[in-house]
Amino acid sequence: MPDRGTRNAIFVLRMLCEWLIENQQDVILCFINYQKIFDKVHHSHLLTVLKRIGIDDKDFGIIRNLYYEQIAAIKLTEGLIEWTDIKRGVRQGCIMSPDLFNLYSEFILKELEEVEEENQVNGRHMHNMRYADDTVHLASSDVAQQMLLNVGQISSERFGLKLNINKTKVMVMSERSPNEPSISITVNNVNIEQVQHLNYLGSWLSTDGRCGKEIRRRINLPKRSFQSMKSIFRD
C-alpha cells in the first residue's frame, strides 16, 4: 500500500520509543515470531472473523468458495497420491491475502486491549505494533510485558498460531542504557532471550533508543560496495 511500507513502521516505533524515553519511561519491547504464520491461518476461524465484522454476504460467499473445502494431491511419476483437504493457509500471490491475514491477526490481539498499561499516547494505551507478521508488544514493566505475552499466546493458540520461542526476543529501551535492567520473560517456562540490538524490518534498534548503530550501518553499506569496485576504478 502507498505510504505504508516498512519505513513508516520503523519511523512510528522509533518515535514512540524516543518519546517514552524522553519522558523518563522505560519501555519493554517483545518482538514476537510465529511459526509459519501465513500457512497456519485456519479457514474456519477466518470465515468466523469475516462474519463477525459484518462483511457483505456476496463478498463472504466469494471468499468462502475460494478457501473452503479445498482439496489437493501431489503428482508423482507413477501418478497422483491420495487427495487431501486443505483447511488452513492464505493463498500466495492473491491480492486479498494481506487484508485477510490482517483481519485474522486483529482478532487474535484484540484481547490485549483488556490489559492495563501505563504507557499512553494521547490517552491511548499502546500495547502492540504490527507490520504483516512482525508483531511488537510494548509495556512499561516486565510484569506488564509478561501479562501481554501470556494473553497473546493463549489467544494465538486458540486461532492455531504458535510462537517460535527461539526467534522471539525481548529488549529494554532505557535512558540508563547500557546499564538497562535485566528482565525475565518466559513462554512455557522457557526464558526469552534479552538482546542489546535487534534488526526490525531491516533497521537496527538499540537499547538506548538512538540511531547511531543504524546510521553507521547505512554509511558502511555503500562504502563496502564502493571498495569492492576499487579494481575497476583503478583500471
Side-chain angles (χ1 to χ4, degrees):
M1 294 177 63
D3 301 322
R4 290 296 182 270
T6 55
R7 289 176 298 179
N8 181 270
I10 293 168
F11 175 78
V12 171
L13 182 60
R14 283 192 180 277
M15 292 298 99
L16 178 60
C17 291
E18 287 183 15
W19 183 84
L20 291 171
I21 291 174
E22 287 176 1
N23 286 271
Q24 299 181 338
Q25 298 181 57
D26 290 351
V27 55
I28 316 295
L29 304 172
C30 186
F31 299 87
I32 305 298
N33 189 286
Y34 290 101
Q35 298 178 5
K36 299 180 180 180
I37 187 168
F38 290 100
D39 297 329
K40 299 290 186 179
V41 174
H42 280 255
H43 297 166
S44 57
H45 291 322
L46 176 61
L47 294 177
T48 300
V49 167
L50 295 178
K51 275 289 189 182
R52 290 176 63 181
I53 65 173
I55 191 172
D56 180 80
D57 288 341
K58 291 184 179 179
D59 294 334
F60 178 83
I62 293 172
I63 298 173
R64 181 190 58 198
N65 293 337
L66 183 65
Y67 276 94
Y68 217 47
E69 297 181 352
Q70 295 182 78
I71 57 174
I74 299 175
K75 185 178 182 181
L76 303 176
T77 305
E78 56 272 20
L80 295 175
I81 67 170
E82 184 179 354
W83 290 87
T84 183
D85 295 327
I86 301 175
K87 297 183 178 181
R88 59 187 186 183
V90 292
R91 289 176 174 268
Q92 242 182 346
C94 176
I95 59 174
M96 287 194 302
S97 294
D99 288 331
L100 293 176
F101 173 77
N102 285 341
L103 290 171
Y104 196 78
S105 62
E106 178 73 21
F107 272 79
I108 291 175
L109 298 176
K110 204 170 186 64
E111 295 182 21
L112 297 183
E113 297 175 2
E114 304 299 324
V115 180
E116 295 186 2
E117 174 53 40
E118 293 181 8
N119 289 338
Q120 299 183 34
V121 177
N122 292 332
R124 180 180 178 182
H125 296 291
M126 299 300 297
H127 296 101
N128 66 88
M129 283 187 57
R130 300 191 303 280
Y131 183 87
D133 60 330
D134 288 286
T135 302
V136 185
H137 288 180
L138 300 99
S140 57
S141 67
D142 54 348
V143 175
Q145 184 60 257
Q146 184 66 68
M147 189 176 299
L148 287 173
L149 193 56
N150 292 343
V151 173
Q153 181 190 8
I154 294 172
S155 180
S156 298
E157 291 181 352
R158 191 162 60 246
F159 278 77
L161 303 182
K162 290 186 177 181
L163 266 66
N164 188 333
I165 300 177
N166 294 328
K167 293 185 178 181
T168 297
K169 308 295 181 184
V170 66
M171 174 187 290
V172 181
M173 281 196 181
S174 171
E175 61 179 354
R176 292 170 284 176
S177 180
N179 299 314
E180 77 282 350
S182 176
I183 61 173
S184 176
I185 305 295
T186 63
V187 174
N188 297 331
N189 297 320
V190 178
N191 281 322
I192 300 299
E193 181 185 1
Q194 182 176 351
V195 296
Q196 304 289 320
H197 307 281
L198 187 132
N199 191 319
Y200 173 69
L201 300 178
S203 178
W204 280 96
L205 303 177
S206 304
T207 54
D208 59 3
R210 301 182 182 276
C211 303
K213 183 178 178 65
E214 174 65 10
I215 291 172
R216 290 191 296 272
R217 184 187 73 88
R218 295 197 179 202
I219 291 174
N220 287 330
L221 282 174
K223 183 178 180 181
R224 285 198 300 267
S225 297
F226 192 82
Q227 289 177 340
S228 68
M229 302 176 69
K230 186 187 298 183
S231 59
I232 297 176
F233 295 143
R234 289 183 172 181
D235 193 338

